[in-house]
């Protein structure tokens, strides 16, 4: 059975390794460390999904004014299509609801079909598009903006 728990500073290196193996656009260890460090001016938080004693997924999110945002979500390539992405989203959204957030926002690469379908399966709707938002090895890529009323 998968279990979800808050990320701690000591998890940052393992989170970065999971992401490097799972995503073409991985975050650095320093970025993960920030999401696991509860200091006053940092509203980012991370939740980790562990199954069979191993880190299999993570989500990073933040409260921003009245809204919440999903910053990143990653599931190990060997553990996909088991519903872990939905479990992580549900946990992040529940945590945002508990803080009183009214909406959850996110941006996703236009080419990232798996993530766009995951968000749509959870109930997120497309609000718009930000042209040339993300860098590519050559050129840039549009971001799709999505939101969910909480
Ligand atoms: C996006 C990601 C987190 C999805 O994780 P996951 O655990 O496989 O997702 P789930 O098993 O919870 O999928 C739930 C639903 O989302 C949709 N979905 C997820 N992956 C999909 C894919 N590759 N193709 C089509 N639909 C997909 C389906 O509707 C799926 O339900 P189903 O399996 O019953 O058809 C994973 O593919 C990943 O880590 N990708 C690399 C990192 C990344 O791009 N993160 C997003 C940054 S914005």
């Amino acid at each position: 059975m998968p279990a979800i728990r808050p990320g701690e500073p000591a998890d940052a290196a393992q989170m970065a390794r999971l992401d490097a193996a799972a995503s073409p656009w991985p975050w650095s260890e320093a970025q993960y460390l920030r999401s696991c460090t509860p200091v006053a001016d940092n509203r980012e938080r991370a939740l980790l999904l562990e199954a069979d004693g191993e880190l299999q997924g993570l989500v990073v999110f933040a409260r921003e004014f009245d809204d919440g945002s999903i910053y990143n979500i990653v599931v190990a390539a060997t553990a996909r299509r088991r519903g872990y992405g939905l479990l992580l989203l549900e946990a992040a959204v529940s945590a945002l609801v508990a803080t009183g957030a009214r909406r959850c926002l996110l941006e996703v690469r236009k080419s990232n079909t798996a993530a766009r379908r995951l968000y749509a399966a959870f109930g997120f709707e497309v609000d718009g598009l930000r042209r040339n938002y993300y860098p590519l090895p050559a050129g840039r890529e549009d971001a799709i903006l999505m939101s969910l009323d909480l």
Side-chain angles (χ1 to χ4, degrees):
M1 275 293 286
I4 294 184
R5 67 167 176 88
E8 294 171 11
D11 295 312
Q14 212 191 343
M15 293 165 77
R17 277 199 296 276
L18 173 84
D19 198 356
S23 166
W25 316 283
W27 281 24
S28 66
E29 182 177 337
Q31 285 174 293
Y32 282 117
L33 183 60
R34 178 177 162 79
S35 71
C36 294
T37 307
V39 290
D41 65 341
N42 176 16
R43 291 174 176 272
E44 273 182 53
R45 288 177 57 192
L47 293 172
L48 310 188
L49 184 148
E50 292 169 328
D52 304 323
E54 283 187 24
L55 180 65
Q56 305 273 17
L58 60 86
V59 62
V60 178
F61 59 99
R63 179 76 193 271
E64 289 177 344
F65 303 99
D66 285 345
D67 297 327
S69 285
I70 304 293
Y71 286 173
N72 201 6
I73 182 164
V74 181
V75 170
T78 51
R80 293 195 185 150
R81 303 306 284 270
R82 295 181 192 168
Y84 291 172
L86 284 175
L87 278 177
L88 283 160
L89 263 187
E90 192 178 330
V93 164
S94 295
L96 288 168
V97 167
T99 71
R102 306 270 177 83
R103 267 188 326 165
C104 187
L105 309 175
L106 60 84
E107 288 131 24
V108 56
R109 285 176 185 263
K110 195 174 178 181
S111 65
N112 194 346
T113 310
R116 288 177 61 182
R117 295 224 172 122
L118 168 72
Y119 298 135
F122 193 82
F124 280 84
E125 293 187 348
V126 173
D127 290 330
L129 178 139
R130 210 167 263 161
R131 287 201 190 282
N132 300 320
Y133 185 69
Y134 292 109
L136 284 173
R140 298 190 71 85
E141 174 172 15
D142 297 342
I144 305 293
L145 310 180
M146 301 183 83
S147 70
L148 176 75
D149 288 332
L150 302 179

